[in-house]
Amino acid sequence: MKTQGDQPTWSPSAGSDEKEDQEEKEEEDETKTEESVSKNPETEEKTKKTYESFADRLPNIKKVRNKLLYRRLTLIVSVFLLAILIVLYFVSPLSKLGKISVSGNNAVDSQQIIVQSKLEKGKSLWEQFGDRKIYEKKIKRQLPRVKKATISLSGINAFNIKIDEYKVVALESVNDIFHPILENGKILPEEMKAPISGMPVFLNFKDQSIIKNLMNSYNKLPEDLKQNISEIRYAPSNANKELINLHMKDANEVIVNISQLAEKMAYYSKVASQMEKPGIIDMEVGIFSYPFNNEAAEESVEESSQAVE
């Protein structure tokens, strides 16, 4: 017992043996795991695929990132260049009005239209284009022959003014001087020493409003009737301020009211064809015709449909 008491109660070799046994078991387990993995071809193949797919992804991810970077860079550069181009454009002569052309005009001079428009070369193109309605109204106000003016862009820094003119449909005669009358009833101050062939001459009209009323009715007539009228004379009576006398090219004379001109003249061809010789066709009240010598009436036709039957 003395001998045993001096010696340690545990054996170092035994403890170390246990540790060594445990380590050997762990190594064996790892070896078995590796062997099992190596023995299982499906697991080994999946592992390889996972490794290979991840390896393949790496360059693709880099490409995507590079593309996004290039796109962002391109967008920033494009915006910057666009801003520079806009600034350069507004500084350059291209943003200034350089040329003005006129089209569609026949009676009105092109240079006169440009002058009356008040458009200015060398000034801002877009500022004047934005105010084009104002310039169009100026043209119409200053030039009575212009029915409509339209300003549009033509080329890089040019305008085109398209003109639609009123037609001259008649002539006013005052002291053997003729003045053009437009289709809207406006009398132009232009003077002509001889009438225009084919246009009726207005006589004895002293009020502009009467001519405008007449033109409203006259424009409703068929073209063949317009061509047959050589002269329209204002001939009011004390009881009727609307009376006019129409001198026709077939030698007849028509008495009719201004407000009933289009309505009554629809019967003219029928009545004239029934007359044996030229005379007067009175359409003031009803429709009657008689010769110029004012003898017994040749025809007495009631107003309405009986006049044509």
Side-chain angles (χ1 to χ4, degrees):
M1 290 180 64
K2 282 182 179 181
T3 305
Q4 289 179 353
D6 294 335
Q7 295 178 353
T9 58
W10 53 277
S11 174
S13 61
S16 61
D17 290 340
E18 289 178 0
K19 286 183 180 180
E20 289 176 359
D21 292 339
Q22 188 175 354
E23 290 176 358
E24 288 177 359
K25 286 181 180 180
E26 289 177 357
E27 291 177 358
E28 289 177 359
D29 292 337
E30 289 178 1
T31 306
K32 288 180 180 179
T33 304
E34 291 176 359
E35 289 177 354
S36 63
V37 171
S38 61
K39 288 179 180 178
N40 192 344
E42 293 181 359
T43 305
E44 185 178 0
E45 187 177 353
K46 287 181 180 179
T47 305
K48 287 181 179 179
K49 284 184 178 180
T50 303
Y51 177 77
E52 289 176 358
S53 62
F54 180 74
D56 292 338
R57 277 181 178 177
L58 285 175
N60 291 333
I61 292 172
K62 289 181 179 179
K63 288 181 180 179
V64 172
R65 287 179 179 176
N66 289 335
K67 283 183 179 180
L68 291 174
L69 181 62
Y70 291 146
R71 285 179 182 176
R72 290 175 183 174
L73 184 61
T74 303
L75 179 62
I76 293 171
V77 172
S78 299
V79 172
F80 184 70
L81 289 175
L82 181 62
I84 293 176
L85 289 174
I86 292 173
V87 172
L88 291 175
Y89 171 75
F90 281 101
V91 173
S92 70
L94 294 177
S95 65
K96 313 299 180 184
L97 181 59
K99 183 181 178 182
I100 304 172
S101 60
V102 181
S103 62
N105 58 314
N106 293 315
V108 187
D109 181 64
S110 297
Q111 188 59 36
Q112 191 178 9
I113 293 172
I114 295 173
V115 171
Q116 295 301 333
S117 71
K118 305 301 181 183
L119 291 168
E120 296 184 49
K121 294 181 181 179
K123 288 200 172 183
S124 174
L125 175 78
W126 297 108
E127 183 178 350
Q128 294 186 85
F129 184 73
D131 295 333
R132 62 188 180 279
K133 296 298 180 183
I134 298 174
Y135 298 108
E136 292 171 355
K137 289 179 180 178
K138 287 181 179 179
I139 296 172
K140 289 182 62 179
R141 184 168 59 249
Q142 297 298 327
L143 301 172
R145 279 183 180 266
V146 176
K147 185 176 184 179
K148 184 180 180 182
T150 305
I151 298 174
S152 60
L153 289 171
S154 176
I156 298 176
N157 62 337
F159 283 163
N160 176 257
I161 305 175
K162 186 177 180 181
I163 299 297
D164 184 13
E165 297 178 343
Y166 284 111
K167 295 179 181 178
V168 177
V169 295
L171 300 171
E172 182 193 35
S173 177
V174 180
N175 298 325
D176 294 329
I177 300 297
F178 300 93
H179 302 275
I181 301 176
L182 303 177
E183 57 184 300
N184 63 346
K186 180 75 175 179
I187 301 175
L188 300 179
E190 303 171 14
E191 295 184 356
M192 304 169 62
K193 294 184 178 180
I196 300 174
S197 177
M199 288 189 182
V201 177
F202 286 21
L203 296 169
N204 203 30
F205 287 91
K206 298 179 181 180
D207 193 337
Q208 179 75 33
S209 62
I210 296 175
I211 292 181
K212 286 186 177 181
N213 292 335
L214 174 58
M215 292 307 303
N216 290 333
S217 299
Y218 177 81
N219 290 329
K220 296 177 184 178
L221 293 176
E223 195 61 33
D224 58 337
L225 276 177
K226 290 180 181 178
Q227 295 296 326
N228 195 22
I229 299 173
S230 62
E231 182 180 296
I232 300 177
R233 183 183 295 270
Y234 184 52
S237 64
N238 293 330
N240 190 349
K241 301 298 183 183
E242 278 201 336
L243 279 182
I244 54 174
N245 291 347
L246 276 64
H247 293 263
M248 311 301 290
K249 292 179 180 178
D250 56 8
N252 290 320
E253 183 179 333
V254 180
I255 302 173
V256 66
N257 295 318
I258 293 175
S259 59
Q260 296 178 320
L261 178 63
E263 177 187 351
K264 292 291 184 71
M265 287 299 288
Y267 301 107
Y268 176 80
S269 299
K270 185 69 176 180
V271 175
S273 65
Q274 295 176 359
M275 297 173 64
E276 294 181 1
K277 57 182 179 180
I280 297 173
I281 301 175
D282 192 337
M283 296 183 176
E284 180 182 1
V285 180
I287 301 177
F288 306 95
S289 65
Y290 49 87
F292 287 113
N293 58 14
N294 204 19
E295 294 178 354
E298 294 180 350
E299 287 188 55
S300 178
V301 188
E302 293 182 0
E303 188 179 8
S304 74
S305 59
Q306 293 179 355
V308 184
E309 295 177 354

